[in-house]
Amino acid sequence: MGKSLIYLNEDLASSIALRFAAQIVKQTGMKLQTIHVEEPEKEEQAGTGWVRRTWEQGLIEAGRDSVQRLLKTEKVDCSFAGEAKVVVGDPETAIMEELLHGIYDLYIEGYLNTPHSQDFHDLLATRRLRHMSCPVLIVKNLVPSNRVLFLLSEAVDSTQLIQDFTQLFSQAPERPPIEVTLFDYRFMETETLRFLDNGNSASPIHDAEKLLMEKGWGEPEVLIVQGTPEQAAHYLKDYGLVVSSYPTRTSPRAELIALIPNPVLLFKQAVQPEKE
């Protein structure tokens, strides 16, 4: 049985992420491992030897209490891999080390959307996400996870994305009842979002459609659209989980991913150029 690692603090972002994670791990058949990092203030004087050990143990106990309060408040229904891991130090380093030594199939983190898309770009640029060895689920909002949208573009290997996604769900006792949409996004400065005829298109979206059906996920909704990231983000706001590959930093797809309020599941793929 696989494991997911979720980074928790006693805050709203973690509360939302925990509740959404409970849906996902039940659908995938995984267990959930929680981690919390106590980051001491720079001015704190830890000392050495027994003094430092006592100081660190106090921080760990405080961190464990905060995680337990969050879990008690949310009362999520899912299987946990064990007690919460509580570490003192830098969150970037602690999370990277846990992912390196722990063998996880998914990393989950909460994020509250801000009016500034640059904040989300900065999150994607952090060391823990840039060097991630497993898929990353960034939870921006709490929505039903039974509607999944694959965000595709010319830079996304759509068949590989389908393979990666279905592999993540392969440990579930049975395939969860999920509605799937394939969304081929093409940047264009237009007054409104344009929906293109997908019947005669050479888009690789049709290879993804065929593969999904072969794997028993039913016939997906297929949409090929042109427009700005703002227009596409507004259209996608009522969907559930959005699945894509990591975008290049300055691409329209990166801006679209930053703007949408949906939870985002990102897979690492070989970097392909995207039109800016």
Side-chain angles (χ1 to χ4, degrees), residues 201-213:
S201 172
S203 168
I205 200 170
H206 296 297
D207 294 331
E209 179 183 18
K210 181 180 178 181
L211 183 58
L212 271 171
M213 295 175 68

Side-chain angles (χ1 to χ4, degrees), residues 181-212:
T181 297
L182 300 177
F183 189 86
D184 185 348
Y185 171 63
R186 304 176 183 185
F187 172 73
M188 181 173 285
E189 292 286 354
T190 58
E191 293 185 2
T192 59
L193 200 64
R194 296 179 181 176
F195 292 82
L196 307 182
D197 179 11
N198 61 53
N200 299 318
S201 172
S203 168
I205 200 170
H206 296 297
D207 294 331
E209 179 183 18
K210 181 180 178 181
L211 183 58
L212 271 171

Side-chain angles (χ1 to χ4, degrees), residues 24-63:
I24 293 296
V25 295
K26 289 179 71 174
Q27 290 175 329
T28 57
M30 290 189 285
K31 289 190 174 182
L32 190 63
Q33 175 63 59
T34 60
I35 184 171
H36 170 76
V37 183
E38 280 289 318
E39 188 174 13
E41 298 291 338
K42 292 182 180 179
E43 61 271 16
E44 287 189 54
Q45 299 297 318
T48 59
W50 176 83
V51 174
R52 182 177 182 86
R53 289 193 297 272
T54 302
W55 169 77
E56 287 188 346
Q57 189 59 39
L59 288 177
I60 289 172
E61 291 301 324

Side-chain angles (χ1 to χ4, degrees), residues 232-245:
H234 179 74
Y235 180 80
L236 295 180
K237 63 182 175 62
D238 293 327
Y239 279 86
L241 177 65
V242 172
V243 181
S244 193
S245 63

Side-chain angles (χ1 to χ4, degrees), residues 9-10 36 38 61-71:
N9 290 306
E10 197 174 8
H36 170 76
E38 280 289 318
E61 291 301 324
R64 183 169 288 113
D65 288 344
S66 68
V67 172
Q68 289 303 319
R69 283 194 299 268
L70 179 64
L71 295 175

Side-chain angles (χ1 to χ4, degrees), residues 6 23 43 67-68 76 87 118 121 128 152 173-174 176 187 199 228 239 269:
I6 183 169
Q23 299 181 52
E43 61 271 16
V67 172
Q68 289 303 319
V76 294
V87 183
Q118 184 60 45
H121 294 310
R128 66 182 181 277
L152 308 176
E174 58 183 36
F187 172 73
T228 65
Y239 279 86
Q269 290 187 351

